[in-house]
Amino acid sequence: MEQISTITEFLETSGARLRFFDMGRRVDKISRDRFLQFEKTAIPYPFPLQQQAWFALLFQDKSSQQEPLIWFLRLPLDEQGKLLQAARDDFMHRLIERIGEKMQADSEGQQLESALQDNPYSFKPKDERMAIFHARISRLLNAPPSRFYEHAQHYFSGQPGWEQWSFVGYQGIADLAARLDQDGNETIVASAITVMPAQPLIALCHCLENETLPRQITQALLDRVDHELQQATTDPGLLAAAIRGSARSSAQRPQRELISRILTSPGGNHIEILTAVSGRAWEQLLDAEIRHLFLERLAENSAGQEAFNLCMADLLYLPGMRQPILATVRDPNRSSRLSSAIGALFQGVTGQ
């Protein structure tokens, strides 16, 4: 009999159905096969953050109607972004040991529910992340949205007045973002984006970054960005949020226009804007023009050389990003400013 060495295979011996979600860069589903390949160190983790894999594991007993059990785990990665087997084995050892201690529990579900108590590999997501996760899960399991959903819908329709945004629950905004294709929400949200205050728009964008965005909403974000860029003083938080909100757009052209216009604006070197690109919309950096523009602005970012170094280290760690980034930084036509920033980066690395 083949030895069970992965979390996936271990939990599937109970007959549970497993689902996996990234909880680091986005709240995004990871297929069972892809996650198993990651566990077996065949591939790097697709969405590394701070050299760790942050994910949620949802499992349901196929033979019962009980609520699914959810674990939030983080596991360290090696220099190639692959799982450190020693950490996985340590987690498995702790898990099995804990379950063994709880064998007197009334049911297997209770054993598993308490299995992560005091486990150093578990974590609690921030409240905003939890709201987004619950919205995604309720949609996936065909469960109704939260009681905050209708209130959020009502607010984004503009009926109570835009100044009433402080009364809108974040869970309702997350539910709205997860159900853009229902109840006329796509049109409601697109219309609201162009006129609503910055604070609720930023909250909305932080939820939209996890969803596949239709063209209508992407265009609304682009229009709002154009309006913001015409102001005497721009809000970098709003511009960064627009980048995040459009991160998974199905409309590539307006999404790239949005990023390009922000980066070429006078305030396009603000570190919040640049980290929104690298942290949430990094796939757009596979486009040579966007990548070159981004790196040039990063070289003159508002937070200095240390921010450049940290952002570059994060990008070079992402699967599929290393070669395109290195190709651009080696471009002989790069600016002297970018050359200096790159020189300082590598000097710091070799000097350690």
Side-chain angles (χ1 to χ4, degrees):
M1 182 177 177
E2 186 178 350
Q3 183 179 0
I4 294 175
S5 61
T6 67
I7 303 168
T8 302
E9 293 166 324
F10 175 73
L11 293 175
E12 285 180 342
T13 60
S14 68
R17 179 183 179 184
L18 303 182
R19 294 184 176 95
F20 305 92
F21 296 83
D22 177 59
M23 294 294 293
R25 291 183 178 270
R26 298 181 187 138
V27 179
D28 202 5
K29 193 175 181 194
I30 305 173
S31 72
R32 183 257 184 200
D33 290 344
R34 193 177 189 187
F35 191 86
L36 185 59
Q37 282 186 292
F38 158 68
E39 276 206 85
K40 291 182 174 181
T41 67
I43 61 171
Y45 189 69
F47 312 112
L49 182 66
Q50 300 170 351
Q51 297 192 4
Q52 295 189 86
W54 304 73
F55 60 93
L57 194 160
L58 181 150
F59 46 106
Q60 240 177 338
D61 188 340
K62 295 178 183 178
S63 61
S64 75
Q65 298 299 314
Q66 293 181 350
E67 287 290 312
L69 192 59
I70 301 168
W71 289 352
F72 296 103
L73 302 173
R74 58 181 178 184
L75 294 173
L77 307 173
D78 66 16
E79 65 279 358
Q80 294 180 316
K82 294 183 177 180
L83 177 63
L84 283 173
Q85 291 184 318
R88 183 203 55 201
D89 294 346
D90 183 44
F91 171 80
M92 291 285 290
H93 174 76
R94 291 171 182 270
L95 178 64
I96 293 169
E97 188 177 65
R98 189 71 183 179
I99 290 176
E101 292 173 357
K102 297 293 183 180
M103 287 300 286
Q104 299 304 315
D106 294 336
S107 69
E108 182 177 278
Q110 286 177 292
Q111 294 167 22
L112 290 174
E113 192 166 358
S114 61
L116 293 189
Q117 187 175 339
D118 302 323
N119 193 298
Y121 300 101
S122 66
F123 74 97
K124 182 181 179 181
K126 294 179 181 179
D127 291 343
E128 292 82 0
R129 217 61 166 163
M130 284 296 293
I132 293 166
F133 180 72
H134 283 307
R136 295 292 302 270
I137 293 303
S138 65
R139 178 72 194 269
L140 177 69
L141 300 179
N142 295 317
S146 73
R147 59 188 176 89
F148 303 101
Y149 172 64
E150 287 188 9
H151 187 198
Q153 233 191 354
H154 186 60
Y155 172 77
F156 279 87
S157 70
Q159 296 177 47
W162 298 118
E163 73 282 357
Q164 300 298 313
W165 65 268
S166 60
F167 298 101
V168 183
Y170 197 94
Q171 184 64 63
I173 300 175
D175 287 325
L176 190 70
R179 297 168 187 269
L180 292 175
D181 60 339
Q182 298 179 0
D183 306 325
N185 290 333
E186 180 180 338
T187 300
I188 290 172
V189 168
S191 298
I193 284 171
T194 58
V195 293
M196 66 193 305
Q199 292 92 332
L201 176 58
I202 290 171
L204 172 67
C205 287
H206 290 183
C207 295
L208 291 178
E209 71 186 26
N210 307 285
E211 309 298 332
T212 302
L213 221 59
R215 175 176 288 273
Q216 184 181 12
I217 294 180
T218 308
Q219 185 61 51
L221 285 170
L222 177 58
D223 293 343
R224 181 61 184 263
V225 163
D226 285 341
H227 179 267
E228 180 68 18
L229 293 176
Q230 292 171 12
Q231 306 307 305
T233 304
T234 58
D235 179 356
L238 188 151
L239 296 174
I243 291 172
R244 292 179 61 166
S246 66
R248 295 191 65 193
S249 176
S250 60
Q252 295 290 305
R253 186 171 179 177
Q255 183 192 17
R256 287 176 183 169
E257 286 182 16
L258 182 151
I259 294 175
S260 179
R261 291 179 193 180
I262 293 175
L263 290 179
T264 54
S265 70
N269 68 328
H270 195 284
I271 193 60
E272 187 174 357
I273 289 171
L274 295 165
T275 54
V277 176
S278 62
R280 295 296 188 268
W282 69 91
E283 293 99 335
Q284 289 304 313
L285 296 177
L286 294 173
D287 178 86
E289 186 176 339
I290 294 290
R291 185 170 64 250
H292 176 79
L293 177 57
F294 169 82
L295 289 172
E296 289 289 351
R297 297 317 305 265
L298 183 63
E300 56 174 0
N301 79 83
S302 62
Q305 182 67 41
E306 184 178 358
F308 179 89
N309 296 352
L310 290 171
C311 196
M312 287 291 286
D314 181 58
L315 283 172
L316 291 170
Y317 202 71
L318 280 167
M321 194 59 67
R322 187 177 185 84
Q323 291 307 316
I325 293 291
L326 290 178
T328 300
V329 301
R330 290 167 180 159
D331 185 349
N333 295 319
R334 66 183 183 268
S335 70
S336 58
R337 186 187 294 270
L338 180 54
S339 296
S340 297
I342 294 165
L345 168 65
F346 287 115
Q347 184 176 12
V349 171
T350 56
Q352 290 178 355

